[in-house]
């Protein structure tokens, strides 16, 4: 029976497209050897499948169990078209696998001269040693060794040998295949609650352990729990198990028993974007990193907005954007508001559009409202400030809803970003852009 890995290995485009339509499928999850679909498509040179996977958010620097990236795989088989695409996407050229071999080691060993030249021009070090203290040029044919060294020198490289160092920063995807395929309902005694992290709205957030992996447990405070609320939870929760996009953080499982409603999601050591921006996580969020976060959020929202049925009541704000260990921003599906919760109650109006605050939910175009919230996030990431931090939430909500209050642009604010924000928080919801429109604009921004 064909699976996604064999489909990418054998070039079955139709199967890949159908597989990607299922939201519970994670295109960045590896097989038993850690090869993701992109690893296989790169290794076998299937350009059409490669393009499809990249368009859907495949991570270009994922590592398999041996530490190889898709670039390693493409180079090892001489897939020049794929190599060129990966380099244009800024794939890491000097990452070493468990043996210390970089993609250039592979290219030199197999005598792929054109690929060697392309890698060196993109910054691949000719002097990086592997475990055996061999540089890439040591593995090249004699006639190529001086040629590659000369090219590297022209590109500004120091030809002094770089000693081998173990790679301590492998970013392999956690193995969630069993979790994704099993029944997602969890018994309460399967979860161990460790530390309470915070209270967010009408929920308590805990760090816990489930199935031997660290998780975040969201305990929803439910007044007057009854069978109807339990049924609504059971109907709405499965829609949040979206594994099919790298900028969406799915819920892994849930507890629905004895008046206890608990949502489990993957633990992110850096916490939320709010934590990173305002609570000293140690991450430097410069203009380039802020733009990367913004692109991640926009791609995730574009995907969520494309789903049918649409997922309502998923309000975006910096506390709802989680930061993965490779600094990928992911929209947390655990922050969805259920129909049995008081959906008119607002806890943090700073990020909400005027129409969300002054209209009934059924009268609001949520896609347009999300764009307003995205504009606030852009402002927040650009200024590193909490919007309206000196004002009481109730006053903020009233002034946004009735007076069109927006954060002010401080002196020195980047003009292109200021223009983008102004477009996104247009007073008229019908004149705000969609995420598929802002992504190419942000992609052209020079940081």
């Amino acid at each position: 029976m064909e699976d996604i890995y064999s489909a990418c290995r054998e070039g079955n485009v139709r199967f890949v497209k159908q597989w990607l339509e299922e939201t519970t499928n994670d295109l960045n999850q590896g097989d038993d050897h850690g090869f993701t679909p992109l690893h296989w498509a790169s290794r076998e040179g299937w350009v059409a499948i490669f393009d499809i996977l990249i368009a859907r958010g495949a991570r270009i620097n994922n590592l398999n169990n041996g530490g190889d990236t898709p670039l390693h795989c493409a180079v090892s088989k001489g897939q020049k078209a794929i190599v060129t695409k990966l380099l244009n996407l800024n794939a890491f050229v000097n990452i070493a696998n468990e043996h210390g071999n970089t993609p250039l080691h592979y290219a030199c060993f197999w005598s792929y001269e054109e690929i060697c030249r392309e890698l060196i021009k993109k910054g691949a070090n000719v002097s990086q040693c592997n475990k055996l203290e061999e540089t890439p040029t040591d593995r090249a044919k004699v006639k190529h060794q001086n040629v590659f060294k000369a090219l590297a020198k022209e590109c500004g490289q120091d030809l002094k040998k770089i000693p081998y160092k173990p790679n301590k920063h492998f970013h392999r995807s956690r193995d969630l295949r069993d979790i994704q395929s099993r029944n997602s309902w969890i018994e309460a005694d399967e979860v161990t609650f460790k530390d309470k992290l915070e209270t967010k709205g009408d929920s308590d957030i805990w760090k816990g352990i489930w199935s031997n992996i660290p998780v975040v447990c969201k305990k929803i405070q439910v007044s007057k729990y009854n069978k109807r609320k339990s049924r609504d939870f059971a109907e709405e929760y499965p829609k949040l198990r979206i594994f099919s996009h790298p900028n969406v953080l799915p819920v892994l499982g849930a507890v629905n028993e004895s008046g206890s409603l608990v949502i489990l999601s993957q633990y992110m050591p850096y916490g939320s974007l709010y934590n990173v921006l305002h609570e000293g996580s140690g991450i430097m969020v410069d203009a380039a990193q802020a733009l990367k976060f913004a692109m991640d959020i926009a791609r995730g929202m574009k995907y969520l907005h494309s789903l049918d049925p649409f997922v309502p009541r998923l309000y975006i704000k910096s506390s709802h954007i989680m930061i993965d260990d490779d600094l990928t921003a992911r929209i947390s599906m655990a922050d969805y508001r259920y129909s049995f919760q008081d959906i008119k109650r607002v806890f943090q109006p700073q990020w909400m559009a005027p129409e969300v605050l002054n209209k009934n939910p059924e009268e609001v175009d949520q896609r347009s409202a999300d764009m307003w919230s995205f504009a606030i996030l852009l402002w927040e990431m650009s200024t590193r400030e909490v919007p309206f931090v000196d004002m009481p939430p109730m006053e903020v909500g009233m002034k946004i809803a009735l007076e069109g209050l927006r954060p002010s642009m401080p002196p020195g604010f980047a003009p292109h970003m200021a223009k983008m924000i102004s477009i996104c928080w247009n007073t008229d919801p019908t004149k705000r852009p969609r995420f598929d429109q802002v992504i190419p604009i942000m992609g052209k921004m020079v940081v």
Side-chain angles (χ1 to χ4, degrees), residues 201-325:
D202 52 6
S203 302
D204 293 326
I205 312 299
W206 290 73
K207 182 180 179 181
I209 299 293
W210 172 62
S211 291
N212 296 317
I213 63 171
V215 291
V216 172
C217 311
K218 181 176 182 179
K219 301 175 73 173
I220 301 174
Q221 301 165 6
V222 183
S223 61
K224 299 179 181 179
Y225 177 88
N226 54 40
K227 289 184 177 179
R228 181 186 63 79
K229 291 181 179 180
S230 175
R231 184 190 67 241
D232 290 346
F233 181 76
E235 289 178 356
E236 296 175 37
Y237 149 75
K239 301 172 186 176
L240 310 180
R241 301 186 80 235
I242 298 175
F243 291 85
S244 54
H245 198 282
N247 300 121
V248 176
L249 184 66
V251 294
L252 300 178
V255 176
N256 182 5
E257 59 181 52
S258 304
S260 180
L261 302 181
V262 183
I263 291 290
L264 271 60
S265 55
Q266 204 170 321
Y267 176 70
M268 300 282 122
Y270 290 126
S272 69
L273 179 60
Y274 185 95
N275 300 139
V276 168
L277 292 174
H278 309 302
E279 297 183 351
S281 64
I283 298 174
M284 175 63 70
V285 183
D286 56 15
Q289 185 60 61
L291 187 59
K292 180 184 179 301
F293 284 154
M295 289 290 284
D296 286 346
I297 296 165
R299 290 186 183 110
M301 291 306 300
K302 174 189 172 184
Y303 177 70
L304 290 174
H305 282 184
S306 73
L307 296 179
D308 186 15
F310 177 71
V311 180
R313 300 186 300 279
L314 185 69
Y315 304 111
I316 59 171
K317 56 188 73 172
S318 55
S319 60
H320 292 179
I321 308 297
M322 308 308 293
I323 306 301
D324 211 335
D325 55 5

Side-chain angles (χ1 to χ4, degrees), residues 10 19-20 58 84 108 118 165 198 230-231 266 286-287 298 313 368 374 376 383 408 413 428 439:
E10 296 165 9
W19 186 88
L20 288 171
T84 300
C108 287
E118 197 166 354
K165 289 184 180 180
E198 62 177 324
S230 175
R231 184 190 67 241
Q266 204 170 321
D286 56 15
R313 300 186 300 279
S368 295
F374 182 66
I376 301 295
T383 62
S408 59
F413 204 97
D428 184 350
I439 289 172

Side-chain angles (χ1 to χ4, degrees), residues 4 46 49 62 122 151 171 175 177 260 262 298 325 354 428:
I4 184 60
W46 299 115
I49 292 178
N62 261 354
K122 286 289 186 176
L151 177 60
H171 293 302
D175 194 347
R177 281 172 290 155
S260 180
V262 183
D325 55 5
D428 184 350

